[in-house]
Amino acid sequence: MRIVLVGPPGAGKGTQAERLAERLDVPHISTGDLFRANLSQQTPLGVEAKRYMDAGDLVPDSVTVEMVRTRLADDDALKGFLLDGFPRTISQAESLGGLLADRGEELDAVVELQVPEDELVGRLLARGRSDDTEDVIRRRQQVYRDETAPLLAFYREKLVSIDAVGSVEQITDRVTDVLRAR
Ligand code: ADP
């Protein structure tokens, strides 16, 4: 299974991605986690990414796409993957399409986690990550609306939209039920 998970900041992508990857037996590949791992090791890529992340802006596509390309080349991603936080722009989606086409592969589904906007800010403030201040959260949400939401139309044929309000368990079940039915 090759799956992309999309949803606004605070929709619970990280939590669901972790659980879904385990159920589907594929690696969970989170660009946010990859950037944070680079940052904690002070790699040049991590240092470069930090100023964008701190502002709630997207890290430039060239950096992000190359990082994903390298990760997808690892052996464990040959059997499939669950991408979390990538692609986040149409341009990244086109790059991903190209990477997969080179391998003779394509995505099986794009799963959208839907949560009403007024619920999102509260969830993120409760999480308390260093980029979870109110201003940066608002900026990330604006970036989501402007840059990422257009992916939903781009992927309409593969799109599976899930109501992501409920218990963690319920939401994982909803996603796996729909994926299984496809
Ligand atoms: P959230 O889902 O709460 O927005 P993430 O951990 O997915 O958090 O991302 C945190 C930050 O990492 C983003 O605000 C952005 O700066 C950077 N980032 C993550 N994925 C991408 C991507 N695909 N393209 C560009 N920047 C990204």
Side-chain angles (χ1 to χ4, degrees):
M1 278 267 202
R2 297 180 192 89
I3 311 273
V4 163
L5 196 58
V6 224
K13 284 195 304 294
T15 306
Q16 291 301 327
E18 199 68 62
R19 298 168 57 87
L20 290 165
E22 186 164 328
R23 283 205 196 171
L24 301 170
D25 191 30
V26 291
H28 167 206
I29 302 179
S30 155
T31 42
D33 288 352
L34 290 171
F35 284 131
R36 282 185 288 275
N38 272 280
L39 187 55
S40 70
Q41 298 180 20
Q42 292 287 304
T43 69
L45 188 151
V47 172
E48 160 85 359
K50 178 176 163 44
R51 49 200 177 104
Y52 298 98
M53 297 173 75
D54 284 349
D57 286 327
L58 295 181
V59 179
D61 283 353
S62 54
V63 177
T64 307
V65 169
E66 180 55 19
M67 181 177 76
V68 171
R69 194 189 62 74
T70 306
R71 178 62 186 88
L72 287 179
D74 289 345
D75 279 352
D76 66 340
L78 290 175
K79 63 177 177 185
F81 49 79
L82 192 148
L83 275 169
D84 159 16
F86 182 92
R88 246 175 163 98
T89 63
I90 298 275
S91 150
Q92 291 180 5
E94 286 169 343
S95 299
L96 176 63
L99 289 177
L100 295 179
D102 287 345
R103 298 153 57 126
E105 296 174 355
E106 62 172 304
L107 292 174
D108 293 298
V110 173
V111 176
E112 176 200 10
L113 298 182
Q114 292 183 322
V115 178
E117 194 156 324
D118 47 344
E119 173 140 355
L120 295 171
V121 178
R123 287 196 191 180
L124 289 168
L125 287 173
R127 181 171 75 178
R129 210 170 65 194
S130 69
D131 59 346
D132 285 342
T133 61
E134 191 146 358
D135 285 354
V136 177
I137 290 169
R138 298 254 177 239
R139 174 70 192 141
R140 297 215 309 277
Q141 287 183 325
Q142 188 193 336
V143 170
Y144 180 80
R145 280 193 299 271
D146 294 348
E147 308 272 349
T148 308
L151 287 179
L152 303 175
F154 180 88
Y155 282 132
R156 68 183 162 276
E157 279 152 26
K158 298 183 192 288
L159 191 67
V160 171
S161 295
I162 302 290
D163 169 11
V165 179
S167 73
V168 167
E169 183 78 35
Q170 275 170 338
I171 297 161
T172 314
D173 287 345
R174 281 179 206 152
V175 177
T176 46
D177 286 351
V178 176
L179 290 178
R180 225 175 267 127
R182 275 167 68 94

